[in-house]
DNA sequence: GTGGTCTAGACCACA
DNA sequence: GTGGTCTAGACCACT
């Protein structure tokens, strides 16, 4: 769900959510994304903000837009896989770097994760 | 190192850095922080920004200021430990939640970490 | 080839392509254009878009339509020549103006062209 | 000057104009760009559109923004030169390709340019 | 005062 | 109906 008190702007939160949906295969059978107006309603945001989401995703080569037609998942067989890999790597790198700065060794980090519910 | 291309504002980056230094014991023998001017020079930031850093750290009960004297690490035996625990928990929660959204199970996450050099 | 990532709309890309074909004499022996349906298939575009192409070419007095018969190249001996002249002039003007804004003198421009393979 | 009847959106026209000014060395002594509000007034556009210009230039690694401070020309010694080269290459490629499609040989193209005033 | 984000609403070009 | 652009105005975070 979108949060307003977050330091992350709404359009980035929506982008992240869509990326996760792509990774989970939500668009593997139908590559067409909801229209900007539908997206706006679905997330409770302004149509302009929704358009910004797709524009940003287009810059990242994740989707492309045809004026008057719609917005589509990029035609790339490995896109879901690559996206998952890239996002996971980013999370891993920043997490491990920060934990290391706090003085955790790799073994300790793994211990911490195992302790979590 | 501080970056401008980061979504994190300067003052938060400095705050995080100082917190990490506290956790690593950099102030355990000398609880006095550098003056705002020294801090500004050390991090290459505006003195106003440096002042904001201490103001924020004060609000989080991590330091206190004596007018005309300086800024000091809060006199709390468990502060380092608590700080480490809180920061680690925040990192862990957000990391595990995001990895889970990407479809990684706990075991897979641990595998990924082991793979990192 | 037609591209969607182009700032040029599909129908203008097709119009330009047809104009180039006219200049190259592709219709000098048979002035009849393909039907809108054939055009749509040939270029992989929507029939509505194909119709728009001919409508636009008609407005520019490049072709004319006979209802129930087809679309034909305008019967004008100098049309190919005029078209070539007009298009070349447009290209030349905008190119020279832009290169000049970038600080290229006429001689430098010619040098650049000679360098191209 | 900006034109509204142009197929080019205003923000792209402004971007092109700024790029040309960079190539011409307008920012070589003072890397700070006008504020978004100043830019808006200077070009007679909405501040949002002005902000969009800088955001786009930032994506192209031509400038960077510091929140609360300003927008600056990227610190890259060869940027002006590279920009000039890239823009010229784009103009040359598209021009030569289009002229060639119209049936002009390289020598004929050079002749055409010499004929221009 | 600077850039960043968001809303609300409008108009356009395209298919 | 779709995406693209622009305006007007507001509020926020940062320096």
């Amino acid at each position: 769900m979108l949060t307003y008190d977050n330091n992350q702007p709404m359009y980035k939160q929506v982008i992240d959510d869509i990326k996760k949906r792509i990774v989970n295969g939500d668009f593997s059978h139908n590559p067409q994304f909801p229209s900007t107006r539908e997206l706006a309603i679905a997330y409770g945001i302004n149509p302009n903000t929704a358009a910004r989401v797709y524009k940003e995703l287009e810059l990242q080569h994740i989707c492309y837009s045809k004026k008057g037609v719609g917005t589509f998942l990029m035609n790339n067989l490995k896109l879901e896989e690559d996206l998952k890999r890239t996002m996971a790597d980013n999370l891993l790198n920043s997490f491990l770097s920060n934990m290391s700065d706090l003085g955790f060794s790799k073994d300790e980090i793994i211990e911490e994760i195992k302790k979590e519910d």
Side-chain angles (χ1 to χ4, degrees), chain A:
Chain A
M1 218 36 216
L2 302 189
T3 61
Y4 290 87
D5 59 334
N6 201 324
N7 48 356
Q8 281 288 90
M10 288 165 51
Y11 77 95
K12 285 197 179 171
Q13 295 182 49
V14 176
I15 286 175
D16 264 23
D17 195 60
I18 291 179
K19 283 184 180 175
K20 287 176 180 170
R21 287 170 61 190
I22 294 171
V23 168
N24 286 322
D26 286 20
F27 301 100
S28 49
H29 290 303
N30 176 15
Q32 179 157 14
F33 286 169
S35 77
T36 54
R37 290 151 176 96
E38 286 171 343
L39 192 75
I41 293 169
Y43 284 94
I45 57 180
N46 186 285
N48 271 330
T49 308
R52 181 172 188 176
V53 167
Y54 284 150
K55 184 155 196 196
E56 200 93 0
L57 285 171
E58 205 170 345
L59 286 171
Q60 297 179 29
H61 306 292
I62 290 170
C63 70
Y64 61 96
S65 295
K66 299 187 198 178
K67 202 187 280 189
V69 183
T71 304
F72 302 85
L73 183 62
M74 191 65 87
N75 192 4
N76 176 342
L77 287 175
K78 292 191 359 190
L79 192 141
E80 284 97 334
E81 199 185 325
D82 288 351
L83 201 52
K84 180 173 178 173
R85 193 65 257 157
T86 306
M87 293 177 80
D89 282 346
N90 285 340
L91 289 170
L92 276 161
N93 284 335
S94 112
F95 172 70
L96 292 178
S97 150
N98 277 312
M99 289 298 277
S100 162
D101 287 349
L102 284 178
F104 285 90
S105 72
K106 205 157 111 177
D107 288 344
E108 285 170 333
I109 293 173
I110 291 173
E111 275 314 302
E112 291 287 338
I113 291 175
K114 283 184 180 162
K115 271 195 290 185
E116 294 282 323
D117 63 326

